[in-house]
Structures are given as C-alpha cells and as structure tokens.
Amino acid sequence: MSQQGEKPAAHEDDWWRKLYDETAPDTGPSSAPDSLDDRFDSVSDTVGEAVEPESEREPEPEPLPEVRPDPRTAWDPYREQAPPSEEPERKSEPERMLEPEPVPVATQAAVPGPRNTVFPAPWEAPAGPPGPRTFAVPKPPEPEPPPAPLTPPAAGPTTAPDPVALHELPPDWAASDAPADGGGARPLVDHLGDRPPTYDAEPAALPAATSENLDALVPDTVLDGARYGTYTLRAASVRGDSARFRGEPRRDALLTARFGSAESALVLVAVAGGVRGGEGAHLAAADACRWIGGAVARSHARLSEDIRAGRRADLKSGLHRLTDRTYGKLRARAAELGVEPGEYTTSLRCLLLSADPDCRTRVFFGVGSGGLFRLRDGLWQDLEPVIPEEAASGVSEAGPDGDRLTMDLQITTPPSPYSDGPAPPPAELFRFRASVARPGDTLLLCSNGFAEPMRDEPELPDELAERWGPPGPPGLPAFLADTQLRIKGYADDRTCAAVWEA
C-alpha cells in the first residue's frame, strides 16, 4: 500500500523490481564507438545534410528580387514571397553504415521559400532600394557652361604636353601691376640708354655675417607707403648693383614714421646715405635716421603746430638745432669706435608732412648731398636750396649793405700750439625749404645715388615724368620697379620718397 492508502497494481511492482534488482549483473561498457569524433559525426549527420562534391553541384537559381518593405505598415516581405514553382532535384544521400535514422523532432514552422534564400541580418541594411528618408533639400546644381567648340586637331604626330610648360609664367606677368586707380600696365624693370649696365639687375652675393654682427645686417630692399590727408606717400631703398655684385651691405637708410594722431599727426621721412668706402657707413646712416626720428618725436606737437601755422623762421631754427644734435651724436659715436669723424658720418635729408587735409605745406631740411625735385605740369624742377659761395667757405661777416661787422687787419693767425692734429673739416651746411604744394604735384626726395642720374641723364626724368604723371600714384611694386630704372655708370644705392598731391 502506498502512502496515500492506494494498493499498487501487480504489473507496476514487477517493473520496479526489474529496474532495481540487486541480483542483476552490471551491463559494462558498450561495444559501440563513443569518442569525441564519433559524437561529432553523429551530430553532423543528424542535423545536416550530405555535402555534394563541387564538381557535381548544379548551378543555383538566381535569388528573387527583394521587395522594399514599407516602414509605415506591418507588412512582412518574407511572408509574401512565394516559393519557386520547381525545386531543383536533390540527389539521394549516400547510405550510412551502422548509423540509425535520425528521430524527427518537433520544430517551429519554417519560413516558406527556397533553401538558398539569404535573409539579411538585423544589423545589415536591406539590399533593395533605400526607403524614404527625411533630409535637407539640396541646392539646385549650377548650370554647366556651354561646351567649347571642337577644333580639328593639327596635323602631325600627337605628343604629350611638356610638364615644364605648365609652370611657365605668361610673357606679360610682370606688367600686370597696374595703378590702384585703373591706369595702364606698368612696364618691366629695364635700363635706359644704348647699352645695359655692367652688373646684373638681381642680387648676387649677400654681405658677410658673423655671430657678433647679426644686428648690423640690413636687407637688400626696403619698401613702404602711406596715405594721409590729400597726399599719397611711396618710399623705397634698394642696394646698388655694385654692392649686390661684391656682397657689400646697403649703405643707404630709410625711415618712415608717424607721430601723433588725427589732424595733428606728423609724418617724417628720413633718407640717409653713408660715405662710400666706410666700413660702418650703413651703421652711421641707420644711427642718423634713428636719432633724428627720436628728436622729431619728442617735439612733434610743436613742429606740427608751426607747420600748420606757417611759422617758417621757428621751423628753420628748431630743425637746425635738432640736426646739429644728431651730428653731434655721430661724432661721439665715432670717438667711441676709434675712427675718424669723417669715416662715421652720413648725409641726411628729411621731409615733414602734416596729416591735416587743409595744410599743404611741405617742409624739407637736411645736411649733405642728395636731391629734392618737384614734378609740376609734366616738368621736373630742382628745389635744392642754393647755398651762397661765401657761406660755403665760412660764415660771412658782411652786413646787408656790405659793411663788415669787425675790422679785418689781414693778419695771418698761426696754428694753435694746443692742437693735437689737423684742423677738422668744415661742418656741412644746413639746408631748409618750405613750399606749398598744388593738386597734381609730385615731390621727390632722394639720396645722392638717385639724384646724380636725375641731374645728369635726361632720359631718367623724362621716363619718370611719363610714369608718375596722370592718372595717379603707382602701387608699391610699380614704384619699386620705377626706382630701379638702371643706367650704365650709376651703380650706387638708390633711396627715394615721392609724395603725390591729390
């Protein structure tokens, strides 16, 4: 009797006794093969089908085109795909020895369709055309230019283009620099006269440098420009052909500076030219420009007021005093270097320009050689201040009527016994000029290297008058090209500043 009070049937007790009979002998190991390879083969035969040889396979039919699903509905494309009408015949599987038939197991309903149908994975995009998407409207394509008319090929063998020709500049590339106001093209840098100069027009050698004189190096070319009030300024300083060939530094120096602001601003242009043959000539020129610039900067307010008010006497005395201080510093610097004052000196010529549109007074002052010219109505005028002959030899003692201020006893004065050497050379005379500009004028300030051909070679001023006349001032590259018009026999540094009046 069971625990629930039921009486078991006789056949159930007999099955229980056969299952747990202690007198029955142990069955022992089975005679069937039971290794890992045997089990793998058994499972492969059960769940797979026989693989046909590559040579006996028939070509598989092309898959049906997939239909793009509509994301707005629950339509399933795989359920609507109809199976093919005819299924390719399958060859009978080879007989397997000592392998039981696989027992069919209940599986889920298979998706209808041929076995060779490849279903995309969830992470793969559908192979059909893309579905509808939302995106920004693209810009309409630009209309294509009309095709160029076809030209018949030239007779002769067809050759590939030269790659070097693709990088060649057009013949008139250097003449493409036109004035800002729309004038014609500027001519190329060329020479004037029957024969070209001896030296090449381009730099050849750089000045020698050491680790101690790097601060003393100067560039080959300096170019600058500005526009204030009614005038336009262009300035350039170029190393001479001789210095370019020999590897010498540029001896000329150029300074353009503005002091102050608004209508009271004052523009200074300083041009200095070192003596030829001096070892530190370029340093003396740079010192002169820097020291005169500092002196004008400290007094620019008073100078600007005097220029706008037209006080010529005050301007001449004040600028003379500033120039003397500059040359005094040059002599002191020569003593520090242990050289003669005449070896560490320079010519200095300056322009003062007011930024006030109502002021057209242009002030020139300086010491030494150089040039001051004005282009008016197509003709050049030399505005260099004239120095009287008696002033060139010394200070005149004669009054306005010719009377002497002191009596000349015609007694020769012996040299002083306290003099250590020869008498110093006479000081350079101070030059000053203030002029009123007119609309259309062009004022030119230059060093001696540019002033000499302007006075001695008529071709140069004539060419510049044609280039710098109407319609207006040239651009910086064109102005630089104009200053490099070369003439045989003139190979010194060239420094100049030009002012165009509107």
Side-chain angles (χ1 to χ4, degrees), residues 8-382:
H11 66 277
E12 292 181 0
D13 293 342
D14 184 60
W15 174 83
W16 186 268
R17 285 193 296 268
K18 290 180 179 181
L19 181 59
Y20 294 97
D21 188 5
E22 297 179 358
T23 60
D26 190 5
T27 58
S30 175
S31 60
D34 190 18
S35 64
L36 181 60
D37 295 337
D38 298 333
R39 295 196 178 207
F40 178 79
D41 295 339
S42 177
V43 174
S44 301
D45 295 339
T46 303
V47 300
E49 59 185 13
V51 181
E52 300 177 2
E54 191 72 22
S55 59
E56 299 180 2
R57 289 188 179 180
E58 296 181 0
E60 297 182 356
E62 297 181 358
L64 296 177
E66 298 183 3
V67 184
R68 178 173 57 86
D70 189 354
R72 296 170 295 180
T73 62
W75 171 64
D76 190 355
Y78 303 117
R79 297 183 180 178
E80 295 188 4
Q81 291 182 0
S85 57
E86 295 182 359
E87 188 174 355
E89 298 180 357
R90 299 176 181 271
K91 292 189 177 182
S92 58
E93 300 178 358
E95 298 181 357
R96 295 181 177 84
M97 301 299 296
L98 301 178
E99 290 186 0
E101 293 291 337
V103 180
V105 287
T107 58
Q108 298 180 356
V111 180
R115 292 181 178 270
N116 55 6
T117 302
V118 180
F119 299 101
W123 57 82
E124 296 180 353
R133 294 180 299 173
T134 302
F135 49 89
V137 178
K139 296 181 180 180
E142 298 181 358
E144 298 182 358
L150 299 177
T151 56
T158 303
T159 58
D162 186 6
V164 179
L166 300 177
H167 302 279
E168 292 181 355
L169 298 175
D172 56 345
W173 69 274
S176 60
D177 177 32
D181 53 6
R186 308 296 297 181
L188 298 172
V189 177
D190 203 352
H191 67 275
L192 301 177
D194 299 335
R195 294 180 298 171
T198 305
Y199 301 104
D200 191 8
E202 300 300 330
L206 292 173
T210 62
S211 59
E212 300 177 356
N213 70 341
L214 294 178
D215 296 339
L217 296 179
V218 292
D220 177 90
T221 304
V222 176
L223 186 63
D224 204 354
R227 179 182 300 171
Y228 289 100
T230 59
Y231 63 87
T232 301
L233 173 65
R234 296 287 183 265
S237 181
V238 183
R239 187 164 55 140
D241 295 342
S242 176
R244 285 177 169 180
F245 178 79
R246 303 178 187 274
E248 299 175 353
R250 175 171 50 89
R251 294 188 301 269
D252 287 0
L254 173 66
L255 173 66
T256 54
R258 173 183 62 88
F259 308 110
S261 59
E263 296 181 355
S264 61
L266 186 64
V267 176
L268 168 67
V269 181
V271 174
V275 294
R276 183 181 303 178
E279 182 178 356
H282 63 290
L283 300 179
D287 288 342
C289 289
R290 183 170 62 254
W291 288 334
I292 193 64
V296 172
R298 289 186 290 270
S299 306
H300 75 276
R302 177 65 184 273
L303 291 172
S304 177
E305 182 181 353
D306 290 343
I307 292 176
R308 297 166 68 184
R311 305 188 185 101
R312 295 175 179 244
D314 295 344
L315 286 170
K316 183 176 181 180
S317 61
L319 294 174
H320 193 177
R321 184 171 59 255
L322 298 181
T323 306
D324 285 346
R325 291 177 182 176
T326 299
Y327 275 86
K329 291 182 178 181
L330 284 176
R331 290 189 293 269
R333 180 60 177 166
E336 293 178 1
L337 298 176
V339 298
E340 295 294 332
E343 297 179 4
Y344 197 83
T345 187
T346 180
S347 62
L348 180 63
R349 311 176 75 80
C350 303
L351 274 180
L352 288 179
L353 310 172
S354 175
D356 188 355
D358 298 332
C359 179
R360 288 186 177 269
T361 301
R362 311 302 180 222
V363 177
F364 158 78
F365 69 96
V367 171
S369 60
L372 179 66
F373 305 91
R374 180 174 61 194
L375 178 62
R376 175 175 290 180
D377 299 332
L379 300 176
W380 286 101
Q381 303 172 0
D382 194 343

